């Protein structure tokens, strides 16, 4: 038996509930940011979100403020992947911090960013390695040429 398909109204209600549970007011811009991040296949920059949501009437400042609020509330994860551009990802419901802290690959030529499966990078402990490595409390960022640029 397949999983029940979630309706648009159920998704909207889910976003609103998550926002309220985090101690924020549920507003249309906050829901729009979460909705866009949920469908993203890679971390999105502020500029990416402005481009995607600008047509819905949200300006740069509104999107920036909501990204900041959602990050501080723990609903969104922010990372600098080595190019001094903050990128944002939705913190998945029920996921542990460990599951949200997956490796990323950034192309050194075109700048594209890809989320990698956690098992694609193996961290091991060794003498002299900080405890954070064994506790997997680190960010793993790989840089190189993507398949298109290679």
């Amino acid at each position: 038996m397949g999983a029940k398909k979630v309706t648009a109204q159920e998704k909207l209600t889910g976003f609103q509930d998550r926002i309220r549970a985090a101690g924020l007011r549920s507003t249309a811009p906050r829901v729009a940011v979460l909705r866009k991040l949920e469908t993203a296949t890679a971390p999105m920059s502020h500029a990416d979100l402005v481009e995607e949501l600008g047509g819905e009437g949200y300006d740069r400042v509104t999107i920036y403020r909501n990204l900041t609020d959602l990050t501080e509330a723990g609903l969104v994860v922010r990372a600098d992947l080595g190019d001094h551009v903050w990128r944002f990802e939705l913190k998945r419901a029920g996921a542990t911090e460990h599951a949200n802290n997956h490796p990323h690959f950034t192309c050194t030529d075109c700048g594209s960013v890809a989320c990698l499966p956690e098992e694609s990078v193996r961290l091991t402990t060794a003498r002299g390695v900080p405890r954070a490595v064994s506790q997997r409390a680190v960010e793993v960022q790989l840089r190189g040429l993507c398949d298109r640029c290679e």
Side-chain angles (χ1 to χ4, degrees):
M1 192 181 253
K4 178 186 170 224
K5 185 172 172 149
V6 178
T7 67
Q9 183 58 45
E10 289 170 330
K11 278 189 173 196
L12 173 63
T13 301
F15 287 137
Q16 292 170 330
D17 291 347
R18 287 177 70 185
I19 292 167
R20 289 183 191 116
L24 298 173
R25 275 186 333 118
S26 177
T27 63
R30 287 180 181 149
V31 170
V33 168
L34 289 184
R35 176 180 41 82
K36 187 52 64 180
L37 290 176
E38 182 195 38
T39 62
T41 57
M44 296 183 77
S45 69
H46 172 249
D48 294 335
L49 286 160
V50 168
E51 186 176 316
E52 292 284 329
L53 297 173
E56 295 179 33
Y58 303 117
D59 62 45
R60 299 180 70 76
V61 174
T62 298
I63 293 169
Y64 180 80
R65 287 181 181 152
N66 283 285
L67 280 170
T68 300
D69 291 345
L70 293 167
T71 300
E72 289 174 357
L75 296 173
V76 170
V77 179
R78 179 179 77 173
D80 176 354
L81 302 177
D83 58 0
H84 307 292
V85 175
W86 286 114
R87 287 192 176 76
F88 301 87
E89 292 180 276
L90 183 66
K91 185 172 183 181
R92 302 293 174 182
T96 64
E97 189 64 34
H98 180 243
N100 276 303
N101 196 9
H102 55 269
H104 294 98
F105 179 87
T106 304
C107 179
T108 55
D109 190 27
C110 70
S112 66
V113 176
C115 296
L116 300 176
E118 187 178 330
E119 60 274 5
S120 66
V121 176
R122 182 175 302 201
L123 296 177
T124 59
T125 59
R127 184 178 173 101
V129 174
R131 277 189 296 268
V133 173
S134 64
Q135 296 167 351
R136 298 197 49 93
V138 295
E139 287 184 27
V140 177
Q141 301 173 15
L142 303 172
R143 298 175 59 76
L145 291 176
C146 70
D147 293 344
R148 285 192 325 255
C149 295
E150 199 169 48

